[in-house]
Amino acid sequence: MEQFSQQLINALVLGGIYALIAVGYTMVYGIIELINFAHGEIFMLGAYFAFTLVTVFNLPFWLALPISMLLCAGIGMLMDVVAYRPLRNAARLSALITAIGVSIGLQNLARIIWGARQRPFPPESLPTFLRQGIPPTESLPAFSLTETAIALPGGAYLPYRDLFIILLAFVLMIALNRLVSLTKIGKAMRACAQNRVAANLMGINTNRVIVITFAIGSALGAVAGVMVGVREIIEPTMGYYKGVAAFAAAVLGGIGNITGAMLGGLLIGFAEVFGAGYIPYGYGSGYRVAIAYIVMIAVIIIRPSGLFGKSTATRA
Amino acid sequence: MRNWLVGLLIVGLVSVWGCQPASKDQQEPQREVRVAVAGPFTGNAAAFGEMIKRGAELKAKEINEAGGINGMKLTLIPGDDTGTEKEAKAVATRFATDRRILAVVGHFNSACSLAGKPIYADNGIVELSPGSTNVSVCEGSDWTFRNLYRDDFQGEFIAKYIKDYMKKFQTVAILFDNDDYGRGLRDGFSAAAEEIGLEIVASEAYDRDNTDFKAQLTSIKAKNPDLIFISGLYSQAGLIAKQARETGITAQFFGADGVDSPDFLIIAGAAAEGTYLTTPFTFELGGDKAQQVATAFENDYGVLPDTWAALTYDAVGMIAEAIEKTYNKDATLAENRKAIRDHLASLDTPEEGYKGITGLTYFDKNGDTVNKPAYVKIVKGGEFTIAPQQVLD
């Protein structure tokens, strides 16, 4: 029981992170039908920006997070204007290859700026509730993590940081959902997603809508990046690994559908954690990513357009 | 008329530019010898790669300052295998087919050395690894050598060390990297543990690209082991140590040489405290010569060298010595490459062996080094320190 509740927490956090990244893929795809492979790099840059802000500029963490979001939103917008807008009416393959190029370029740029070695956030730069619960060695084996985690009945721990990530992911997802369904820009986004030409004819500035979509997706990606940086580690290749899993989540949910991406993210997180936790003899733990993909493929076989995808022939 | 002139100008420029390198080659024949260094300069073993590169550069600098190899300048050609098999194959092919490269120092990761092995053997060029410990790295190839111990030795050493000197730890969980190094070391350790009666209660794998190990650690916690043996590299080991404590695991950590990087301390932070690990070399017990190299290294790079810098320093030294003794400028590339191999293969007794800062290196018939001991380190006060209990014979 303790093991189960702990795995549940592990899965929720991972799923929440995937959902935040997956939304960035799916929003862009929904509007311009481009798989923006460079989104994983935005996620990585978000982590590095916040890291630089707290370590080099000595900003407090709660200020570094929004600044990093703004910077990533800016980079996302720039990426659209510089790399994708000139190809808006070109063959889709050209835009896709450009996306891969942007991804490789940004990853190597990060390597040049910050180096190839992994960096953790220095614990003292983080607010107490986001720190890793590491007891002093002298207190082992009897120790408690109550300063950094909530002890659940049965011995499982819910670190405040993980609780924060889960809550943040849910709040941002709900906010995004409201934004898209209630506001004017949200309406414009949906119109663009349905038919960009028609939306343009109705007087919607589609280029502006697309840029804003990139900005929102990138800002959410930055949040996920900072959270992964705080929880795990920052490295130039982090965007690739988490990005591919999040992309799988977006496809699983039905690419182009925001609710689908959120649920897809959670599902991939659950598949990974429970696969690794409960399939014995190392088959689960050694192949946890593969298990997540098997779940994705199984869903796609049954529902080719994903959980929430529109099953239209024109979108294939 | 103008087109004709421009055309002539282009032809003229191209021919001048095309001629220059050729004439330069003829003026200064064989003024340098090239040796390649392959390692994970980027990717998630990059901290090792950096040390490997610097260790090699330091040795090359010293050789060149002392007049080079028979008057020829030693030039190192780096090749980044990113710690992955795919890139290692590409790097190996590039080096093996480069007609100016005489020998290769590398690779670091066992999976990379294994991936490069057939390519180097087919093209007849020496691969001297300063870091691969998987049992089968040198097997079945006349061209692959290494200057450190194998994982069957290391795994058995760790199991016995725990049994003999850490008696209060009786149950062990293994967390291994799902690649040639992690699996090979796990096999060596498990076999010895079973033999001497150390109980293994869990064995979980992880993928090197992963940074979240909570799922595996939660399973391990349910088994309540006294000790966790991490059979993998420093970056994942650092995250594992940190995340294990956060999951409420109180077990002792024990790592192997893959954990031996200063970056382990940075990544694991306070969770590194008390971790045991084995390593093929340590500067503290390395003697005066090693201390001089450590000082020179620190002067050049501002940080102290690690084990891998030292082993690479020696590997470059061995290759340089082989070139010095065998190089014939009138011979073909294949003959010179073969002569280096034959020289290394002839170092098969303690008397013949190469005396470097990491001790005496000589090879058995596979090209393995079997005489080097394992040292034990403990993390104390945020630094690696020599464990009070060493088993050196």
Side-chain angles (χ1 to χ4, degrees):
Chain A
M1 190 57 211
E2 174 209 336
Q3 202 183 342
F4 181 79
S5 49
Q6 186 72 59
Q7 297 289 28
L8 203 67
I9 293 165
N10 299 342
L12 270 174
V13 184
L14 197 61
I17 289 166
Y18 285 155
L20 279 174
I21 313 171
V23 165
Y25 282 103
T26 224
M27 282 173 75
V28 167
Y29 186 87
I31 291 186
I32 55 173
E33 290 178 29
L34 163 76
I35 296 166
N36 180 19
F37 278 111
H39 186 61
E41 270 52 57
I42 297 280
F43 156 87
M44 175 266 297
L45 287 175
Y48 271 116
F49 286 148
F51 174 79
T52 310
L53 288 168
V54 299
T55 53
V56 179
F57 297 96
N58 287 319
L59 289 185
F61 180 81
W62 54 265
L63 208 61
L65 178 64
I67 295 176
S68 163
M69 286 171 72
L70 282 177
L71 287 171
C72 280
I75 291 203
M77 289 157 82
L78 195 72
M79 194 158 74
D80 176 50
V81 173
V82 174
Y84 303 141
R85 188 176 290 177
L87 295 170
R88 199 80 84 212
N89 296 315
R92 271 167 67 186
L93 197 58
S94 316
L96 190 73
I97 293 168
T98 307
I100 295 172
V102 172
S103 163
I104 295 172
L106 287 177
Q107 200 186 105
N108 285 292
L109 186 71
R111 195 170 281 153
I112 291 166
I113 299 175
W114 289 285
R117 287 159 59 186
Q118 298 94 334
R119 314 275 193 91
F121 271 99
E124 60 279 6
S125 72
L126 300 173
T128 320
F129 74 100
L130 285 177
R131 283 183 203 167
Q132 219 106 24
I134 299 169
T137 316
E138 305 82 65
S139 70
L140 296 174
F143 72 103
S144 79
L145 292 168
T146 42
E147 266 178 39
T148 54
I150 304 166
L152 300 177
Y157 288 104
L158 172 56
Y160 292 120
R161 183 202 57 228
D162 287 4
L163 181 66
F164 178 74
I165 294 176
I166 296 170
L167 290 178
L168 191 67
F170 275 96
V171 167
L172 288 173
M173 291 289 127
I174 290 165
L176 179 68
N177 188 292
R178 296 294 90 190
L179 177 99
V180 171
S181 44
L182 297 181
T183 62
K184 203 171 159 193
I185 180 72
K187 206 183 231 175
M189 281 177 186
R190 281 181 289 137
C192 285
Q194 274 181 12
N195 189 327
R196 209 164 74 228
V197 179
N200 210 348
L201 289 172
M202 294 302 119
I204 296 173
N205 182 349
T206 48
N207 272 338
R208 192 171 144 259
V209 172
I210 292 168
V211 155
I212 290 173
T213 307
F214 267 93
I216 295 173
S218 301
L220 292 179
V223 175
V226 176
M227 287 305 140
V228 168
V230 168
R231 185 173 187 262
E232 295 161 19
I233 197 89
I234 312 167
E235 54 185 330
T237 49
M238 67 192 281
Y240 176 75
Y241 180 78
K242 287 272 194 307
V244 168
F247 173 62
V251 173
L252 168 62
I255 191 144
N257 185 297
I258 294 174
T259 322
M262 299 176 195
L263 279 172
L266 284 173
L267 207 59
I268 292 278
F270 272 82
E272 250 192 54
V273 168
F274 281 87
Y278 289 98
I279 298 177
Y281 308 118
Y283 289 113
S285 48
Y287 301 95
R288 57 185 270 180
V289 189
I291 291 163
Y293 292 136
I294 290 168
V295 169
M296 180 193 97
I297 292 165
V299 171
I300 296 290
I301 288 173
I302 301 163
R303 285 186 60 91
S305 48
L307 289 175
F308 290 82
K310 282 164 286 189
S311 49
T312 53
T314 50
R315 273 285 156 97
Chain B
M1 182 63 186
R2 229 174 64 185
N3 280 350
W4 182 80
L5 266 178
V6 170
L8 193 71
L9 196 69
I10 291 172
V11 170
L13 279 174
V14 167
S15 52
V16 166
W17 176 76
C19 281
Q20 238 167 10
S23 59
K24 210 174 179 182
D25 264 6
Q26 277 158 7
Q27 280 166 6
E28 317 170 291
Q30 305 298 351
R31 289 291 302 277
E32 63 163 19
V33 285
R34 294 191 171 193
V35 170
V37 181
F41 304 132
T42 65
N44 45 25
F48 287 140
E50 195 173 290
M51 283 290 181
I52 286 167
K53 202 175 198 168
R54 289 171 170 180
E57 277 168 1
L58 180 66
K59 184 70 189 181
K61 193 185 101 180
E62 289 178 6
I63 290 170
N64 288 331
E65 277 172 1
I69 304 174
N70 295 339
M72 298 175 294
K73 181 171 176 276
L74 171 63
T75 305
L76 297 176
I77 311 292
D80 180 13
D81 64 27
T82 72
T84 60
E85 284 171 46
K86 191 183 83 187
E87 291 297 323
K89 280 183 189 158
V91 167
T93 309
R94 181 153 61 83
F95 286 159
T97 54
D98 186 327
R99 303 198 48 80
R100 289 164 300 181
I101 291 176
L102 287 173
V104 179
V105 172
H107 298 232
F108 174 79
N109 302 77
S110 292
C112 294
S113 289
L114 285 164
K117 181 164 75 168
I119 299 169
Y120 294 122
D122 287 349
N123 290 282
I125 180 168
V126 161
E127 173 190 29
L128 173 57
S129 172
S132 298
T133 50
N134 180 287
V135 174
S136 48
V137 164
C138 300
E139 254 168 43
S141 167
D142 290 339
W143 296 89
T144 301
F145 299 84
R146 66 175 130 202
N147 64 354
L148 75 170
Y149 56 55
R150 290 198 316 227
D151 280 339
D152 49 352
F153 166 74
Q154 180 169 226
E156 189 186 338
F157 179 92
I158 294 170
K160 283 189 174 153
Y161 191 91
I162 295 169
K163 181 80 180 169
D164 292 348
Y165 303 109
M166 303 169 76
K167 286 192 193 321
K168 62 177 175 162
F169 304 106
Q170 282 160 358
T171 54
V172 180
I174 307 174
L175 201 50
F176 64 96
D177 189 343
N178 203 5
D179 87 334
D180 289 308
Y181 170 70
R183 284 194 305 263
L185 183 57
R186 173 207 59 183
D187 292 344
F189 177 81
S190 321
E194 203 165 308
E195 211 167 275
I196 60 177
L198 199 61
E199 195 190 348
I200 295 173
V201 292
S203 182
E204 297 283 343
Y206 63 83
D207 182 41
R208 177 113 43 90
D209 290 329
N210 218 329
T211 48
D212 168 51
F213 306 96
K214 287 270 176 107
Q216 287 94 323
L217 288 167
T218 304
S219 303
I220 285 180
K221 190 188 175 197
K223 303 276 172 52
N224 198 21
D226 296 332
L227 184 145
I228 297 180
F229 173 51
I230 306 170
S231 179
L233 304 184
Y234 67 93
S235 56
Q236 292 80 35
L239 289 168
I240 286 167
K242 209 150 73 166
Q243 292 174 13
R245 291 288 178 256
E246 204 178 47
T247 316
I249 290 176
T250 58
Q252 166 73 35
F253 301 124
F254 206 125
D257 55 350
V259 181
D260 186 16
S261 165
D263 276 31
F264 171 70
L265 306 172
I266 299 173
I267 293 169
E273 201 62 21
T275 302
Y276 277 73
L277 56 93
T278 47
T279 177
F281 171 71
T282 164
F283 276 95
E284 289 86 341
L285 302 176
D288 293 344
K289 221 167 136 195
Q291 284 311 320
Q292 285 164 16
V293 172
T295 313
F297 190 98
E298 203 184 1
N299 285 342
D300 278 13
Y301 302 109
V303 289
L304 283 167
D306 72 359
T307 304
W308 312 107
L311 283 161
T312 313
Y313 179 94
D314 273 359
V316 172
M318 283 186 91
I319 295 287
E321 193 191 78
I323 295 173
E324 189 180 352
K325 288 192 175 154
T326 64
Y327 188 77
N328 175 359
K329 71 176 167 41
D330 299 321
T332 64
L333 173 81
E335 284 165 358
N336 275 324
R337 283 178 171 182
K338 179 86 171 33
I340 294 171
R341 189 216 84 85
D342 292 344
H343 177 79
L344 291 182
S346 76
L347 308 175
D348 56 357
T349 60
E351 294 73 40
E352 304 270 351
Y354 174 85
K355 290 170 200 68
I357 57 169
T358 63
L360 195 61
T361 304
Y362 59 94
F363 302 111
D364 69 0
K365 62 179 183 354
N366 278 332
D368 284 327
T369 295
V370 287
N371 61 306
K372 285 195 179 166
Y375 300 89
V376 182
K377 293 188 189 177
I378 308 179
V379 180
K380 227 181 222 160
E383 277 174 33
F384 288 122
T385 58
I386 296 299
Q389 185 62 57
Q390 298 289 337
V391 196
L392 293 178
D393 41 19

